[in-house]
Amino acid sequence: MAKRGPYRIPPASALLAFESAARHGNFTLAANELGTSQSAVSRHISQLETWLSARLFERSRAGAQLTAAGERFRDGVLAGLAAIHRGAIEAAELSRAEQVAIACSHGSSHFIIQPRYDALCRALGEDAQIRVLTYHHTQGPPADPSADILLTWDPAGEAAEDRVVTVKEGVRPVCSPAYAAAHEQTLAGPVAGWSELTLLDLLPNQGWATWEDWFAAAGTPAGAPRRLGLDSYIYVLEAAAAGQGVALGWRRYIERFLEAGTLVALGAGFVESDRGLYAVLTAKGRRKALARRCLACFELD
């Protein structure tokens, strides 16, 4: 193996094969991990041993065990690969200095991010880029390390300076004008008469307000209303707008429907809770001035 510039090092492919084989103690497992053949891994190791003039592994039917020379070489390879990995991450972060990534559920993206997207762009400047990383509310936040800000209903453990309240939870029933007209007499009376209505539910619920919370404040139906469960809050509101029943409307999620007249509000007003939707800086976001500027844009006004 030829000297490469000022550094006398083997090819990266051979180093990666060696690291994997050393970690697994098995050439076949290393080949499976690297998506290559056992013979290719064995060839890389043989080339390294020739280049170093040292035996790196003791081969046996049980696998491959590092020799003393192999252990010394492994320590150097691990240190070098770790340094390259850190450098790659730091270089990528520098290239993304003017980018902010926001992780949120599909519902929050649709009802919270999109309506204020233009305002975010103006506040952050024309050179800034905004990425929205969405996930289904039943799966929880993504493990994507590129996220700078997370929209969540559970900010437990986050420092006060690293979070802001974006929506203070308040709920009230909503339905389409046609559904309200068809059930005008029932809706004009006490909640005890709501047994004949269809209630639209978000299922599964992840800890925010439910129909039971609203009933505790406004009254309880005498009988059990029909329930229709949907797995997305977008679908819940679309079903309500289509006249399929009454939905529990969350503040800041229903305003555009009310303004457009596709939904009408029922009851005396919002039933408040001590919960809320928070914008929270991730560990990565706390190191970025742009992310802190973006966080301020989400603060409840």
Side-chain angles (χ1 to χ4, degrees), residues 1-269:
M1 298 183 190
K3 180 178 179 181
R4 298 170 183 271
Y7 299 102
R8 185 174 178 270
I9 58 174
S13 56
L15 295 177
L16 292 173
F18 169 77
E19 186 280 328
S20 183
R23 179 161 34 87
H24 288 292
N26 187 288
F27 289 5
T28 300
L29 292 178
N32 292 339
E33 180 177 77
L34 298 173
T36 187
S37 64
Q38 186 272 342
S39 60
V41 171
S42 181
R43 186 168 58 252
H44 280 308
I45 302 304
S46 295
Q47 289 173 342
L48 284 172
E49 290 179 325
T50 298
W51 186 71
L52 294 168
S53 298
R55 191 167 183 81
L56 299 175
F57 290 95
E58 294 293 347
R59 285 94 160 158
S60 69
R61 291 181 179 275
Q65 185 175 359
L66 287 171
T67 63
E71 290 179 353
R72 177 66 61 86
F73 187 56
R74 177 200 58 197
D75 294 343
V77 168
L78 289 177
L81 292 176
I84 293 170
H85 180 68
R86 285 195 305 273
I89 291 176
E90 290 170 3
E93 287 189 353
L94 283 174
S95 70
R96 291 195 293 264
E98 292 304 314
Q99 181 185 93
V100 61
I102 305 167
C104 60
S105 68
H106 291 294
S108 293
S109 172
H110 189 76
F111 296 114
I112 301 300
I113 302 291
Q114 289 184 21
R116 67 178 72 190
Y117 188 82
D118 289 343
L120 283 172
C121 291
R122 289 193 298 271
L124 299 182
E126 60 181 17
D127 294 331
Q129 295 181 337
I130 300 172
R131 291 178 60 209
V132 181
L133 312 172
T134 58
Y135 59 90
H136 195 277
H137 77 280
T138 60
Q139 297 173 339
D144 192 328
S146 64
D148 299 301
I149 292 175
L150 172 66
L151 297 191
T152 176
W153 293 86
D154 181 16
E158 301 295 340
E161 64 270 19
D162 295 331
R163 70 186 191 190
V164 297
V165 178
T166 297
V167 177
K168 186 176 183 300
E169 188 180 59
V171 293
R172 68 183 307 175
V174 294
C175 67
S176 70
Y179 195 89
H183 299 273
E184 181 178 8
Q185 187 173 354
T186 298
L187 294 173
V191 176
W194 281 31
S195 304
E196 65 181 67
L197 301 179
T198 296
L199 303 183
L200 304 173
D201 259 340
L202 175 63
L203 298 175
N205 186 293
Q206 301 295 305
W208 42 85
T210 66
W211 274 110
E212 283 62 39
D213 293 321
W214 189 80
F215 290 146
T220 305
R226 176 175 177 265
R227 299 283 188 110
L228 176 59
L230 299 159
D231 70 354
S232 165
Y233 193 60
I234 297 172
Y235 299 157
V236 170
L237 293 187
E238 287 179 347
Q244 296 181 29
V246 181
L248 195 61
W250 294 333
R251 177 187 283 115
R252 301 293 284 274
Y253 285 70
I254 59 173
E255 275 68 15
R256 71 171 72 174
F257 291 89
L258 298 177
E259 291 171 2
T262 53
L263 290 176
V264 294
L266 308 173

